[in-house]
Amino acid sequence: GVQNIQVGDITPPVFAITPASVTVECDAVPAVGSVTATDDCDANVTVTYNEVKTPGNCVDSYILTRTWVAIDNCDNASTHAQKITVIDSTPPVLVGVPSDITANCDGGNIPPAAVVTGTDNCDNAVQVVFTETKIDGTCPDSYTLTRVWTATDNCGNTASGKQTISVGDV
C-alpha cells in the first residue's frame, strides 16, 4: 500500500513579547522595543513594524498606534497592536520669580520687573506673560505693586508666580 502524507503549516507565529497599551506623559513615551516571534515550522519568522500618530486636542497630546506583524514561510500571520495614549497634564515651572519686598517711595529701591522664564516637560518654548498692577495706599507716597508672571504650555497647562512690592514713605 501507498500512504500519502500531506504536510502543511497552518499555525501562525507566536509573539515572544507583546508590549501593553499605556497612557504616558509626553516626556515618557516608551522606546520601540524589539519584538520577536516563534513558529512551529519556521525558524526565522519575519516581523514587520509600523507606527501611526493620531493628533490629539493639543500639540503634546496624541495617540501612537504601534503594530507588529509576524509572518511565517507559509504566510500565516499574527498581529499585535500597542496603543500609547500620550498626554500633557504637567504645568510649566517658572524660573526667576523674585520674593516680595518693601521699598521706599523715592523710586531708587523699586527694582525693575525681573525676567522670568518657564520650562516644561513637553513644550520647549513656553510663553510667559507679565502683568503689573498698582494699588494706591493711604497716602500719595504709598502704594502696592503686584507683579504676576504666567506661563502656559502647548496644552493649556498654566503656572503663575507673584511678587508684591509694598512702597511707602519710610
Side-chain angles (χ1 to χ4, degrees):
V2 176
Q3 179 183 20
N4 288 325
I5 301 174
Q6 187 173 11
V7 178
D9 181 3
I10 59 169
T11 305
V14 176
F15 286 104
I17 299 171
T18 52
S21 294
V22 292
T23 297
V24 296
E25 279 284 323
C26 50
D27 60 344
V29 175
V32 178
S34 176
V35 175
T36 59
T38 58
D39 187 68
D40 58 351
C41 298
D42 185 352
N44 188 17
V45 177
T46 301
V47 178
T48 59
Y49 167 77
N50 185 46
E51 181 177 274
V52 175
K53 182 177 181 178
T54 305
N57 59 359
C58 63
V59 174
D60 294 317
S61 175
Y62 51 91
I63 295 174
L64 292 177
T65 303
R66 295 175 174 173
T67 306
W68 292 267
V69 178
I71 301 175
D72 68 14
N73 287 330
C74 290
D75 291 331
N76 298 306
S78 292
T79 302
H80 174 71
Q82 177 191 33
K83 179 180 173 183
I84 302 172
T85 303
V86 180
I87 61 172
D88 179 6
S89 62
T90 303
V93 175
L94 289 170
V95 179
V97 176
S99 301
D100 294 346
I101 61 169
T102 300
N104 195 7
C105 63
D106 65 8
N109 294 327
I110 301 170
V115 176
V116 175
T117 58
T119 62
D120 189 65
N121 63 328
C122 303
D123 185 351
N124 293 326
V126 176
Q127 299 298 314
V128 178
V129 175
F130 170 72
T131 59
E132 181 176 81
T133 306
K134 180 180 177 184
I135 299 171
D136 291 332
T138 56
C139 67
D141 292 327
S142 72
Y143 56 94
T144 301
L145 288 178
T146 302
R147 294 175 172 171
V148 178
W149 295 265
T150 303
T152 305
D153 69 15
N154 287 329
C155 289
N157 299 304
T158 62
S160 291
K162 179 174 84 167
Q163 178 191 34
T164 302
I165 302 173
S166 301
V167 180
D169 185 355
V170 294

